[in-house]
Amino acid sequence: MLPGPWPGWLCLCLLLLARPAQPCPTGCDCFSHQVFCTDEALEAVPPTFPLHATDVVFVETSFTTLPTGAFSGSPHLTRVVFLNTQLSRLGPDAFGGLPGLADLEITGSSFFNLSAAPFSHLHSLLKFTLSFSALRTLPEDLFRHMGALESLALQGNRLQSLPGRLFQPLARLRTLNLAQNLLAQLPGELFAPLGRLQSLRLSHNLLGSLPEGAFGGLGGLQELSLDSNALSELPAGLFSPLRGLEKLWLHHNALGQLPPSLFSSLANLTHLSLLDNGLRTLPEGLFARNRRLVALSLSHNQLRGVPPGAFAELSSLTTLTLSHNAIAQLPAGVFRDLVELTRLYLGSNNLTALPPGLFQNLSKLELLGLSENLLTTLPEGLFDDNYNLLSLALHGNPWQCDCHLGYLFRWLQQYSDQLPNARTFCAGPAYLRGQLVPALTEEQLVCPVSPAPGPGDSWGLVSAGKPPQSRCSYSNPEGTVVLACDETHCRWLRLQLSARQGTGAGLPYNASQAWDLTSACGTVRVTVSIEARAGGP
């Protein structure tokens, strides 16, 4: 025995060591600070949990009722989670005795309705998740004791309407998720008390319209998700209060037109998605005040054109998506001010031609999509400013491999190794159909030449970028026989023996055929004989 009186702290330590440690409850697994209860046979919440535990997670347990004070024997808990359990009834003050509870999640349960009584003493709660249950309604006073709440998730329920004063106590709320419900309308001032809200998700509901003041008081909102609803029109001043908004998602709606001033108050907007609506036109100046915009998606609409100054103020834009529309032509300078642009998607439109200099000033462009249009050729110098281009999609266009395709042919020959996805095939003329453009020779890119009128008028061909006198490409009217010659020699012959549909089956064995070929240089005759010989040893 130690001499003299023992220090008080030593006595306390010995008493703590002598106290038996609380065992892990039956049906649960205990770790450092977490307890996981996954036994389906668990009939109720265990009366106590180890003192070191702060988090308790119930997964697929079968008990249906949480009685009053279910956790009163473990006041040290700060996080309680129910995942895909059979929980369907909460007793009054079910979470009483948890003064430090900061995070409560109930996901995948069977609630149809709730009252405020089970949540009457959750003054420290910061995060509340009540998702993917069967909730159809919420009482107006549900959150009256949750004044400290910062995050609220109610997604994946069956909510059809919300009480107008539901969020009145939640002045500190920062994130609110109401996605994947059945909301068809919203009370006019539902969100007015949420002055600190930064993120609001209303996607995947049934909203067909929104009141003018729906977002009043949300000056600090940074992200708003309205996608996957049934919105057909928006009031001009709907977004006026949202001066701090950075991301706005409006895709998968039914918007046919937009007010010109709809986004004029959103000076901090960086991301805007209008994908998959019914937009036919873009008003002049629609994005004039959105100079910080980085990504803009307008794909899968019905746009037939783009105003010349549609993107004039968007000098910070890096991604622009205009694919899957009905755009037939683009103004020459429509992309001139997009000096930071790295990705431009123009595929699946009705473009028949591109103006020279369309991509001028786009020196940072890395990805360009032009596939699935009606392009037959490209203007000279179109890609000369795009020396950072890493991906170019050209497939699905009816490229005419004639003298007008010379620029694209030479450009592809120079850069095709660096752009493996830029596979471009000829759609015409018939004798080159299906040929890979970079695999051709420049002499094969020929065009008809109309000679001066006079006796014995004929027609001919000229090579891409070559005067007809230095190189002559002779052809028959059908284009099935083409012969390319220079001043002294004929260099190549392309011959299609199977004539066009309805004019014959080709040239038989032991037969010959002659063709008179013409060009601006004159006329030549080509004779082909096929002699069949018996095979030897």
Side-chain angles (χ1 to χ4, degrees), residues 234-252:
L234 299 174
L238 180 65
F239 303 127
S240 296
L242 308 182
R243 299 188 179 276
L245 197 67
E246 298 176 2
K247 297 179 181 180
L248 176 57
W249 312 115
L250 287 165
H251 46 279
H252 303 311

Side-chain angles (χ1 to χ4, degrees), residues 399-401 425-436 440 494 496 500:
W399 300 110
Q400 292 301 303
C401 295
F425 296 90
C426 301
Y431 57 87
L432 293 179
R433 185 175 296 128
Q435 298 292 313
L436 192 62
L440 301 175
R494 181 173 292 276
Q496 180 181 331
R500 296 186 178 183

Side-chain angles (χ1 to χ4, degrees), residues 408-437:
L408 178 59
F409 164 75
R410 293 187 295 272
W411 194 89
L412 286 174
Q413 280 204 324
Q414 183 176 356
Y415 296 108
S416 58
D417 291 343
Q418 304 172 29
L419 301 166
N421 63 335
R423 296 180 65 81
T424 308
F425 296 90
C426 301
Y431 57 87
L432 293 179
R433 185 175 296 128
Q435 298 292 313
L436 192 62
V437 173

Side-chain angles (χ1 to χ4, degrees), residues 328-339:
Q329 59 181 4
L330 290 166
V334 69
F335 305 130
R336 182 180 298 126
D337 297 325
L338 307 184
V339 293

Side-chain angles (χ1 to χ4, degrees), residues 30 34-35 98 140 175 194 209 227 253 287 301 403 437 446-447 452 471 500 507:
C30 299
Q34 297 176 322
V35 178
L98 294 176
E140 191 169 60
T175 65
L194 308 180
S209 62
D227 55 286
N253 276 287
F287 311 117
N301 280 283
C403 63
V437 173
V446 294
C447 289
R471 283 186 181 171
R500 296 186 178 183
L507 186 63

